[in-house]
């Protein structure tokens, strides 16, 4: 029975290797390489290299020197962003330039500003470098993104640019040659490269007809126009595996290419098992999205594919079972044959293939240890930054190996995005389709803002005790403070983290909305005068507009003016529409000063006001303010890009239709609900959201 089960698993392993060799994009061939430059080009486009560097005193000099020695005919500038290093990184970079005086003016060393919440550590530095590159050489057609521990061959840039130009690629990336000197490096590093190729077959990455996308963060040449098309580094600013995220974003609208090289090398060493173990265990479970199910599936798959062949051979020999032995040997031979080209890349002989099962076992143990650390609430540390579990960030193992990045990141945002999207859908808001008209990043940002608004509004409207409402709103104030410190606790806060920095959302607007909801939270709401009403409208409506307009991309001055005019108009419409409903809850948003002007006494019970004969007159006067604000908003919106402001226009047109219905009713039937029919909503969508 036991031997029968072992034989079945050995057969599965052998078939798995047969499938991988024949149908997994020939990943094992390790044959995707840059070609030599066959002819000189008439024009070599300008390139700017950006190097994020944090505590890289030991390697940054060789990296900068290798770039300044590039045999590249076109304009080339190097920008080193010193990411708050505690050593002499910046000085070493400058010293390297002094050693190449003929190219010294090609180097700029920037002092990076402290890490901004919501960004991965490396990408925040890259973002600063790319922004500076726009001024250093606005004509540059390409940006070379590389690490501070990479030594580039003298022909590297020439070959990268030539390949991009000839193939029309928006991204050309090289998995640099990793250090492979010590015993542990020779055993584990080629295996790591082999696993990466199996996960992302390079031929599939390079095929524009396939969706597979990947890149190697140590060396990426990016076409500037493609980077602008996806929204710049901000578009991936919160991503953990940012090189692959960049590749995926670019491949949606362009071509990418990923290959191997022996001319560009990583300078980082891993001389002991503990060095590699700590680096991998620090983050491997993050790559499985902290999923116990994925962890279990990975362990089972690795055991069957890598461990079963040698175990089957040993068991077959021990039991004198020739069939089991033969199947085990067949699987082992397939594994070794597939591994041989990667070993050849690293100048290693065939014998090291026998150690691949052991390497697989060690990586499984590192991954299990990573899960253990996560479940115990302990993360790792990298370059002086703590990377914890839960709401803190996780360091990605691969950057030290030259093809992935080190990061500081909020938790996996997928669940947070799903949470806020569910809130939007369940609310059945009439603005759902307006938000759906936005691109993915802006739509997600608007969903997060809407979910926040919905949550604090529900707190204010809850029929519970006022004291409980104040406690809950204070908790949201604390969450906003955590959000701007980069460590939100709630799903909504986590979903807001990336939009916060991508679109420059201001803390004061979030706090203003909470303040407005606190005005609503009182058991008995009364607005004393028009100034207070204007402040209330600004907090609960205009603040939302200011947040939204920054996401839409409108300039700050115009956006704030639109938000003020339209927010006042929309909220006044809400107040006029809901006079009856609010009175049932003893809430009165019509200014007391305005009521007194028309000799209308404000009763203790707001419901008594509904029968007052002058109430329609007061509503008409307030409606004049709303009509004026609608007119102001329309004039400002007419100066804006219509496509950019479609959601705001749809909101305005929907509310203006409700406002006109109220006007036509003469404020006589305040107890009759006023809303738009499905046909009217559809017309607004077609007329202002699509046409």
């Amino acid at each position: 029975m036991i031997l029968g089960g072992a034989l079945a698993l050995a057969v599965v392993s052998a078939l798995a290797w047969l499938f991988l060799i024949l149908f997994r994009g020939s990943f094992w061939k390790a044959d995707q390489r840059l070609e030599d430059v066959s002819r000189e080009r008439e024009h070599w486009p300008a390139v700017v290299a950006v190097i994020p560097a944090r505590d890289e005193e030991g390697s940054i000099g060789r990296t900068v020197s290798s770039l300044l020695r590039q045999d590249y005919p076109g304009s080339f500038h190097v920008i080193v962003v010193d990411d708050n290093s505690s050593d002499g990184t910046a000085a070493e970079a400058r010293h390297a330039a002094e050693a190449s005086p003929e190219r010294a003016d090609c180097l700029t060393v920037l002092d990076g500003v402290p890490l901004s919440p919501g960004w991965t550590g490396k990408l925040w530095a890259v973002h600063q470098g790319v922004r500076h590159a726009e001024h250093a050489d606005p004509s540059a057609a390409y940006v070379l993104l590389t690490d501070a521990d990479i030594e580039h061959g003298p022909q590297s840039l020439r070959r990268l640019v030539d390949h991009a130009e000839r193939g029309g690629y928006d991204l050309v990336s090289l998995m640099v040659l990793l250090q492979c000197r010590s015993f542990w490096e020779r055993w584990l590093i080629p295996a790591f490269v082999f696993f990466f190729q199996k996960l992302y077959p390079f031929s599939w990455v390079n095929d524009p007809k396939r969706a597979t996308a990947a890149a190697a963060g140590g060396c990426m040449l990016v076409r500037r126009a493609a980077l602008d098309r996806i929204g710049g580094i901000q578009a991936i600013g919160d991503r953990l595996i940012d090189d692959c995220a960049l590749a995926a974003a670019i491949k949606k609208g362009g071509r990418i290419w990923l290959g191997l090289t022996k001319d560009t090398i990583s300078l980082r060493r891993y001389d002991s098992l503990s060095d590699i173990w700590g680096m991998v265990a620090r983050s491997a479970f993050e790559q499985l999205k902290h999923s116990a199910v994925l962890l279990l599936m990975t362990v089972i798959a690795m055991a069957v594919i890598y461990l079963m062949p040698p175990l089957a051979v040993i068991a077959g020999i021990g039991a004198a079972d020739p069939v089991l032995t033969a199947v085990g040997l067949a699987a082992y031979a397939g594994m070794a044959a597939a591994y041989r080209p990667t070993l050849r890349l690293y100048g290693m002989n065939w014998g090291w293939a026998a150690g691949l099962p052991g390497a697989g076992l060690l990586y499984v143990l590192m991954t299990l240890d990573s899960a253990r650390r996560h479940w115990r609430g302990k993360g790792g540390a990298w370059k002086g930054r703590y990377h914890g579990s839960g709401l803190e960030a996780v360091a990605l193992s691969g950057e030290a190996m030259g093809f992935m990045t080190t990061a500081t990141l909020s938790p996996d945002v997928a669940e947070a995005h799903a949470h806020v999207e569910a809130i939007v859908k369940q609310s059945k808001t009439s603005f759902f389709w307006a938000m759906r008209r936005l691109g993915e990043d802006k739509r997600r940002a608007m969903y997060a803002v809407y979910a926040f608004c919905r949550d604090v509004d529900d707190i204010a409207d809850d029929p519970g005790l006022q004291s409980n409402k104040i406690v809950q709103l204070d908790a949201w104030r604390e969450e906003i403070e955590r959000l701007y410190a980069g460590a939100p606790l709630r799903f909504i806060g986590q979903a807001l983290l990336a939009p916060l920095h991508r679109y420059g959302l201001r803390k004061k607007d979030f706090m203003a909305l909470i303040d407005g909801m606190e005005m609503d939270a009182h058991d008995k709401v009364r607005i004393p005068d028009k100034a207070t009403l204007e402040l209330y409208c600004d907090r609960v409506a205009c603040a939302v507009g200011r947040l939204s307009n920054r996401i839409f991309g409108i300039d700050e001055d115009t956006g704030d003016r639109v938000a003020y005019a339209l927010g006042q108009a929309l909220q006044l419409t809400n107040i006029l529409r809901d006079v009856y409903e609010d009175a049932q809850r003893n809430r009165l948003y019509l200014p007391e000063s305005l009521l007194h002007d028309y000799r209308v006494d404000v009763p203790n019970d707001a419901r008594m006001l509904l029968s007052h004969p002058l109430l329609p007159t007061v509503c008409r006067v307030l409606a004049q303010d709303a009509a004026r604000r609608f007119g102001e908003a329309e004039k400002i919106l007419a100066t804006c890009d219509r496509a950019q402001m479609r959601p705001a226009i749809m909101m305005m047109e929907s509310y203006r239709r409700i406002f006109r219905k109220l006007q036509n009713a003469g404020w006589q039937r305040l107890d009759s609900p006023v809303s738009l029919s499905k046909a009217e909503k559809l017309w607004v969508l077609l007329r202002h959201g699509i046409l």
Side-chain angles (χ1 to χ4, degrees):
M1 179 68 73
I2 294 177
L3 289 179
L7 178 59
L9 290 175
V11 170
V12 171
S13 181
L15 291 175
W17 279 109
L18 182 63
F19 175 84
L20 290 171
I21 291 171
L22 295 179
F23 303 109
R24 189 66 186 170
S26 297
F27 75 93
W28 51 275
K29 292 182 177 179
D31 60 353
Q32 300 294 305
R33 312 290 180 89
L34 284 178
E35 300 176 0
D36 291 332
V37 179
S38 58
R39 60 180 178 82
E40 284 298 320
R41 309 188 64 83
E42 294 181 1
H43 170 69
W44 289 91
V47 181
V48 176
V50 174
I51 311 172
R54 180 177 175 84
D55 294 339
E56 296 285 4
E57 181 180 22
S59 61
I60 186 65
R62 289 179 64 180
T63 298
V64 170
S65 294
S66 71
L67 288 172
L68 294 181
R69 291 197 302 267
Q70 286 297 301
D71 179 19
Y72 186 68
S75 173
F76 183 46
H77 195 91
V78 179
I79 299 173
V80 173
V81 182
D82 181 21
D83 185 17
N84 301 279
S85 298
S86 59
D87 62 7
T89 294
E92 285 298 316
R94 295 187 178 97
H95 180 70
E98 293 170 359
S100 303
E102 70 282 359
R103 302 297 297 273
D105 58 346
C106 296
L107 174 70
T108 298
V109 179
L110 293 179
D111 292 327
V113 301
L115 177 64
S116 181
W119 283 78
T120 61
K122 179 180 177 180
L123 285 183
W124 177 239
V126 171
H127 173 65
Q128 296 173 66
V130 171
R131 290 290 298 272
H132 184 80
E134 295 172 358
H135 303 290
D137 191 348
S139 66
Y142 292 95
V143 177
L144 175 65
L145 304 179
T146 185
D147 290 338
D149 55 3
I150 304 296
E151 187 169 24
H152 299 261
Q155 295 284 322
S156 177
L157 183 59
R158 180 192 287 257
R159 296 173 70 189
L160 285 167
V161 172
D162 181 68
H163 195 72
E165 290 287 282
R166 283 191 294 108
Y169 295 108
D170 288 336
L171 169 65
V172 176
S173 180
L174 290 176
M175 177 178 284
V176 303
L177 193 71
L178 310 177
Q179 290 291 321
C180 200
R181 300 179 184 178
S182 71
F183 168 79
W184 293 108
E185 286 174 336
R186 291 170 73 80
W187 188 11
L188 298 176
I189 295 304
F192 200 106
V193 175
F194 181 74
F195 297 153
F196 186 79
Q197 293 176 92
K198 186 176 65 175
L199 182 63
Y200 299 105
F202 288 13
S203 63
W204 289 3
V205 171
N206 302 340
D207 185 349
K209 297 179 181 179
R210 287 186 175 269
T212 305
C219 181
M220 300 189 294
L221 183 75
V222 187
R223 196 180 296 270
R224 173 71 67 79
L227 193 60
D228 292 341
R229 169 171 55 80
I230 68 169
I233 298 299
Q234 302 98 303
I236 59 167
D238 63 341
R239 306 299 172 86
L240 185 58
I241 308 178
D242 51 83
D243 42 14
C244 292
L246 178 63
I250 290 178
K251 193 170 185 180
K252 289 180 180 179
R255 300 185 66 190
I256 66 174
W257 187 91
L258 171 62
L260 297 160
T261 181
K262 298 184 71 172
D263 298 327
T264 298
I265 65 174
S266 170
L267 302 174
R268 193 172 298 280
R269 296 291 305 272
Y270 287 89
D271 294 326
S272 68
L273 175 60
S274 61
D275 289 339
I276 299 176
W277 189 291
M279 178 267 296
V280 174
R282 190 179 295 119
S283 62
F285 193 42
E286 173 70 19
Q287 298 182 58
L288 296 178
K289 301 180 180 180
H290 299 156
S291 169
V293 174
L294 289 178
L295 176 65
L296 178 61
M297 293 173 62
T298 299
V299 171
I300 293 174
M302 291 288 286
V304 171
I305 295 174
Y306 291 97
L307 298 183
M308 196 60 217
L311 292 177
V313 173
I314 294 171
I317 294 174
D321 186 333
V323 176
L324 179 58
T325 303
V327 174
L329 285 172
Y332 213 151
M335 179 196 314
Y339 193 32
R340 189 175 183 183
T342 300
L343 290 174
R344 190 182 301 118
L345 173 69
Y346 280 87
M348 297 169 61
N349 62 46
W350 173 279
W352 283 96
L356 185 58
L361 174 61
L362 285 174
Y363 277 114
V364 167
L365 295 176
M366 294 176 202
T367 303
L368 289 171
D369 189 37
S370 178
R372 179 188 64 84
R373 296 184 187 194
H374 172 78
W375 288 328
R376 292 183 61 186
K378 295 182 178 180
W382 189 258
K383 301 290 182 65
R385 287 193 178 116
Y386 177 74
H387 303 278
S389 61
L391 294 175
E392 302 199 18
V394 182
L396 185 65
S397 59
E399 186 228 10
M401 293 187 169
F403 58 87
M404 292 184 186
T405 58
T406 297
T408 298
L409 184 68
S410 60
D412 184 7
V413 297
E415 194 171 359
H417 285 315
H419 178 78
V420 299
E421 184 171 356
I423 291 175
V424 175
K425 290 181 178 179
Q426 291 169 8
S427 70
K428 297 182 179 180
T429 172
S430 58
F431 303 130
F432 174 74
W433 290 107
M435 290 185 278
R436 287 288 298 175
R437 288 284 301 158
L438 298 168
E440 182 179 3
D441 286 336
K442 291 185 178 183
R443 181 172 68 251
R444 285 181 173 178
M446 281 301 302
Y447 282 176
V449 168
Y450 180 88
F452 164 74
C453 297
R454 179 78 274 160
D455 197 78
V456 294
D457 186 64
D458 287 345
I459 292 172
D461 287 342
D462 189 275
L465 295 176
Q466 176 183 331
S467 57
N468 290 341
K469 299 178 186 180
I470 300 302
V471 169
Q472 293 180 66
L473 291 173
D474 283 342
W476 255 116
R477 288 190 178 92
E478 294 174 4
E479 175 71 355
I480 296 301
E481 294 293 347
R482 285 191 294 267
L483 171 63
Y484 278 81
L489 295 178
R490 307 181 186 208
F491 276 140
I492 295 174
Q494 293 163 23
L496 282 168
L497 195 54
L500 176 76
H501 299 283
R502 187 169 298 155
Y503 302 111
L505 305 183
R506 295 174 296 201
K507 182 199 293 188
K508 66 180 182 180
D509 293 323
F510 287 107
M511 291 301 193
L513 187 59
I514 296 174
D515 291 340
M517 293 305 141
E518 188 166 313
M519 295 173 72
D520 266 336
H522 294 280
D523 297 330
K524 176 183 176 182
V525 177
R526 295 292 186 271
I527 301 295
D529 50 41
K530 280 194 171 185
T532 305
L533 176 62
E534 188 172 332
L535 175 62
Y536 170 76
C537 292
D538 182 82
R539 288 174 171 176
V540 301
C542 303
V544 180
R546 289 191 289 269
L547 292 169
S548 301
N549 289 340
R550 296 182 82 82
I551 295 171
F552 298 156
I554 190 172
D555 70 89
E556 182 173 324
D557 179 65
T558 304
D560 286 353
R561 288 190 295 116
V562 169
Y564 181 77
L566 187 55
Q568 293 283 332
L570 301 187
Q571 192 57 34
L572 288 175
T573 301
N574 275 335
I575 289 171
L576 291 166
R577 180 190 59 187
D578 298 337
V579 168
Y580 180 86
E581 180 182 338
D582 289 335
Q584 304 304 312
R585 302 165 62 192
N586 204 16
R587 293 183 173 192
L588 183 61
Y589 294 92
L590 303 176
E592 290 183 326
S593 60
L594 180 60
L595 291 167
H596 291 155
D597 287 344
Y598 288 88
R599 294 183 172 79
V600 177
D601 294 328
V602 180
N604 187 55
D605 186 343
R607 289 176 296 182
M608 298 176 60
L609 184 67
L610 295 173
S611 60
H612 199 288
L614 291 178
L615 179 60
T617 302
V618 173
C619 290
R620 278 193 291 272
V621 172
L622 195 59
Q624 293 173 4
D625 290 341
R628 177 167 54 87
R629 299 300 188 189
F630 272 120
E632 293 172 358
E634 185 175 30
K635 288 180 181 178
I636 302 172
L637 283 170
T639 67
C640 301
D641 184 308
R642 182 176 178 83
Q644 195 175 36
M645 296 299 291
R646 281 189 189 277
I649 294 171
M650 290 175 67
M651 290 185 221
M652 181 180 71
E653 293 301 331
S654 295
Y655 265 81
R656 188 148 60 176
R657 285 173 173 271
I658 292 173
F659 178 70
R660 287 169 178 166
K661 286 187 177 186
L662 291 169
Q663 283 184 311
N664 293 337
W667 318 103
Q668 297 296 326
R669 295 296 307 276
L670 296 175
D671 58 335
S672 298
V674 176
S675 61
L676 298 183
S677 65
K678 290 183 179 180
E680 289 174 306
K681 292 178 181 178
L682 179 60
W683 171 248
V684 171
L685 172 63
L686 292 173
R687 174 64 183 85
H688 301 286
I690 298 177
L691 301 179

